[in-house]
Amino acid sequence: MTLWLIILGMVVVTYTVRLSVIALLGSAEMPDTMNRALRFVPPAALSAIVFPELLMPEGIFDPSPGNVRLVAGLVAAVVAWRAKNTLLAIGVGMVVLWTLQTVV
Amino acid sequence: MIGTISSSATPRWSELLAGIRAQLPILLGTSPFGMIYGILAVEADLPVPVALGMSLIVFAGSSQFIAAQLFASGTPGIIIVLTTFIVNLRHMLYSASLAPYVRHLTMTWRSALAFLLTDEAYAVTITRYRQQPVERAPDSYGHWYFLGAGLTLWVSWQISTMIGVFVGAQIPSSWSLDFTLALTFIALVIPALTDRPAILSALVAGIAAVGAYNLPYNLGLILAVLLGIGAGVWAEGRQPGTDDSVGPQMNGSIDPHTDGEKGQP
């Protein structure tokens, strides 16, 4: 019972956060300064997820060429940029990672 | 609520399918995590219905991981709830970012989409929406794309949790499947780098995320995003000649209803 109450509490806080602005922005206009800022959420949020994945494998900062995730990620970035194809970027990135893992 | 399925059933379906398709490669990265969560929950002595219930109705990977560990150590419930709140606080930024694109929808639609708002669903959906100016969102079927992406992840999260709980199976970490998640986000961040302020924003957020990596409860992530947004706004303010409203993502398609394939990242 108590367990379910805690789960319910987790649902309430998680859902409230996710619904917050989506629910509030109905008829009201988004302030201009807010709109200006929101344009940067995708580049900022996505790279805030990506950078540590590449630069901190196993939680330790490693900017060296021996960091196979960094190398594979950079190759995938170039593929994504030139070919504009997510699947290709994932495929090439994984092949580079697996190859380097076997070799290094 | 959902409207009549009449003349425009086809674009709805094609958007739904496009959303599902965009989410499929991401499942390679999230499924191993779902399995590990299931195993952790069992090890934390959570009853099976509770372990599965958390995936069903909380549906938030990183906070489920932390909660399972907190349950195991006998942490008071109020602390678990507060921790969940802090860990998921970053979703408020996603909510704000998507709000202008879904504001024309009914409350039922918006409530359902908000439930499905995860990092992964956000990443593909905002990329889709930004292929067109926000003013055209009411004429598009982007919410079906959102629904397709969100539901796909939700269903697969239940399956992978069940595998973890009932089978205790794990995908060997040497396969490095978790890396597909990073690769997907890399491919999605590229189209978001529309101009110099956006690039600066991404760099600042990325470097800050590395610097603040050891902050607890995902706080480093939200701090990094806020710093990145600040840097972008600042850089844009320094460019008097440029118009702040749009970037190259505005080279939208001619007909928002028939471009199910176009520009699919």
Side-chain angles (χ1 to χ4, degrees):
Chain A
M1 184 57 213
T2 324
L3 274 182
W4 281 109
L5 271 181
I6 300 170
I7 304 292
L8 209 63
M10 291 175 69
V11 171
V12 169
V13 294
T14 303
Y15 188 57
T16 306
V17 166
R18 287 177 177 171
L19 186 62
S20 58
V21 188
I22 284 181
L24 292 175
L25 191 78
S27 51
E29 277 299 326
M30 187 81 87
D32 193 44
T33 43
M34 185 87 159
N35 265 330
R36 232 174 262 237
L38 286 181
R39 170 164 107 73
F40 297 106
V41 176
L46 294 172
S47 65
I49 294 172
V50 165
F51 271 55
E53 290 278 345
L54 299 189
L55 286 164
M56 307 198 69
E58 338 238 321
I60 299 151
F61 182 62
D62 179 9
S64 77
N67 177 351
V68 291
R69 292 198 169 210
L70 178 59
V71 176
L74 289 177
V75 172
V78 172
V79 172
W81 175 45
R82 304 302 302 186
K84 299 189 181 8
N85 184 328
T86 305
L87 280 180
L88 188 67
I90 296 171
V92 170
M94 286 311 286
V95 168
V96 171
L97 181 73
W98 286 327
T99 311
L100 290 176
Q101 275 176 341
T102 335
V103 175
V104 178
Chain B
M1 288 310 121
I2 284 166
T4 50
I5 298 173
S6 56
S7 56
S8 47
T10 310
R12 280 174 190 160
W13 271 107
S14 71
E15 279 300 292
L16 186 79
L17 290 176
I20 293 171
R21 222 171 24 233
Q23 200 67 11
L24 285 179
I26 292 182
L27 303 186
L28 280 178
T30 53
S31 300
F33 283 114
M35 294 184 206
I36 297 171
Y37 159 73
I39 293 168
L40 273 182
V42 170
E43 283 173 355
D45 281 330
L46 286 177
V48 168
V50 173
L52 298 178
M54 222 196 296
S55 280
L56 270 172
I57 55 178
V58 180
F59 186 44
S62 37
S63 57
Q64 286 180 231
F65 265 80
I66 295 170
Q69 285 158 358
L70 293 179
F71 274 120
S73 63
T75 308
I78 184 75
I79 304 290
I80 298 180
V81 173
L82 277 176
T83 307
T84 303
F85 174 70
I86 297 167
V87 169
N88 290 330
L89 206 50
R90 68 186 185 287
H91 290 146
M92 197 177 283
L93 288 167
Y94 302 161
S95 187
S97 172
L98 285 169
Y101 296 95
V102 298
R103 58 182 295 190
H104 64 284
L105 299 173
T106 62
M107 203 55 193
T108 311
W109 257 108
R110 285 189 277 156
S111 309
L113 293 177
F115 178 75
L116 298 170
L117 183 53
T118 54
D119 296 282
E120 292 81 8
Y122 170 74
V124 296
T125 303
I126 194 69
T127 305
R128 180 62 162 180
Y129 271 129
R130 279 173 43 123
Q131 289 168 6
Q132 286 177 23
V134 64
E135 294 77 26
R136 290 177 72 169
D139 303 322
S140 81
Y141 293 94
H143 48 299
W144 286 91
Y145 188 94
F146 192 162
L147 185 71
L151 272 182
T152 304
L153 185 66
W154 185 82
V155 169
S156 84
W157 189 244
Q158 310 315 320
I159 296 170
S160 56
T161 300
M162 282 190 251
I163 296 174
V165 167
F166 293 121
V167 188
Q170 259 188 74
I171 291 173
S173 63
S174 60
W175 291 14
S176 305
L177 279 189
D178 62 297
F179 194 57
T180 56
L181 219 48
L183 292 172
T184 311
F185 286 125
I186 288 171
L188 292 173
V189 76
I190 301 287
L193 305 176
T194 48
D195 52 14
R196 283 182 174 201
I199 293 169
L200 182 76
S201 169
L203 281 176
V204 167
I207 293 166
V210 170
Y213 185 78
N214 287 318
L215 287 184
Y217 310 131
N218 273 358
L219 280 173
L221 196 56
I222 190 165
L223 179 72
V225 180
L226 289 174
L227 284 173
I229 293 170
V233 171
W234 173 80
E236 201 166 59
R238 281 173 47 95
Q239 302 183 310
T242 47
D243 177 16
D244 60 41
S245 59
V246 284
Q249 77 269 20
M250 297 254 329
N251 305 331
S253 51
I254 297 132
D255 181 359
H257 295 168
T258 54
D259 64 340
E261 309 295 323
K262 189 162 179 211
Q264 171 63 22

